[in-house]
Amino acid sequence: MGETLSHYQATDIYFGFSVRNCRIAHVIHLLSTTSIDVIRTIRDPEKPNTLEELDVVSEKCIDVHELGDDEYLIIIKFSPTVPHCSLATLIGLCLQVKLQRCLPFKHKLEIYISEGTHSTEEDINKQINDKERVAAAMENPNLREIVEQCVTEPDD
């Protein structure tokens, strides 16, 4: 005799989803929301505004993908205010540092300049995703101080 399905299994098959897929979708939404909450308060290195206020980052700039069991890839695509922004690498570094410090789950992080929004986006994308360059940059006391000023919460 054939296998019997529970009511929930049959419903899942009927509607084309599973509890696991719903859980993953919920986790992805939660991770996306957490990520924007972490980066929205990063301050611009030159202006008294946050990156969110300047529309450098927003909810739509975050994409989350499942990599495996409870491991996720978070992709951030930010848009500098001008195509020749001299601080785009520093902004990418601030995003990298704050997310690595604040995200409480297992993740891989990739940060990119949104396509077509900067004149040297390819070079900058390589720099801000190179772990050795990020570590070297954070060893520079002057650069580290600027990053800390940008990523520290106003209440801290």
Side-chain angles (χ1 to χ4, degrees), residues 119-132:
S119 56
T120 61
E121 67 192 57
E122 280 186 39
D123 293 333
I124 294 172
N125 288 341
K126 287 179 189 174
Q127 288 178 5
I128 59 181
N129 287 294
D130 183 325
K131 290 179 183 178
E132 290 176 8

Side-chain angles (χ1 to χ4, degrees), residues 12 15-29:
D12 289 348
F15 287 110
F17 65 89
S18 69
V19 172
R20 181 182 185 282
N21 288 343
C22 287
R23 185 184 83 62
I24 291 169
H26 175 72
V27 170
I28 286 173
H29 173 74

Side-chain angles (χ1 to χ4, degrees), residues 27-156:
V27 170
I28 286 173
H29 173 74
L30 183 65
L31 299 181
S32 181
T33 303
T34 301
S35 297
I36 190 61
D37 287 344
V38 167
I39 64 175
R40 73 175 8 122
T41 58
I42 295 173
R43 286 188 290 286
D44 183 86
E46 286 185 323
K47 299 178 175 128
N49 305 83
T50 66
L51 297 183
E52 185 179 49
E53 291 168 344
L54 295 170
D55 219 16
V56 173
V57 297
S58 67
E59 288 182 27
K60 67 181 185 248
C61 80
I62 299 172
D63 201 9
V64 180
H65 303 276
E66 181 188 32
L67 292 175
D69 290 340
D70 294 324
E71 185 174 11
Y72 296 88
L73 168 64
I74 300 167
I75 301 171
I76 309 287
K77 293 183 179 176
F78 70 98
S79 301
T81 54
V82 292
H84 54 276
C85 177
S86 62
L87 297 173
T89 305
L90 180 57
I91 290 169
L93 181 61
C94 290
L95 292 166
Q96 189 75 254
V97 166
K98 187 145 187 197
L99 286 163
Q100 289 295 358
R101 284 182 186 171
C102 297
L103 292 180
F105 48 83
K106 192 173 177 182
H107 66 280
K108 182 177 180 207
L109 182 60
E110 294 178 3
I111 298 176
Y112 302 103
I113 293 179
S114 297
E115 194 173 324
T117 61
H118 197 278
S119 56
T120 61
E121 67 192 57
E122 280 186 39
D123 293 333
I124 294 172
N125 288 341
K126 287 179 189 174
Q127 288 178 5
I128 59 181
N129 287 294
D130 183 325
K131 290 179 183 178
E132 290 176 8
R133 286 185 182 186
V134 169
M138 290 307 290
E139 288 177 9
N140 177 319
N142 296 328
L143 195 51
R144 185 175 54 244
E145 183 179 344
I146 294 169
V147 169
E148 292 299 335
Q149 288 172 0
C150 293
V151 302
T152 301
E153 293 292 322
D155 302 326
D156 292 351

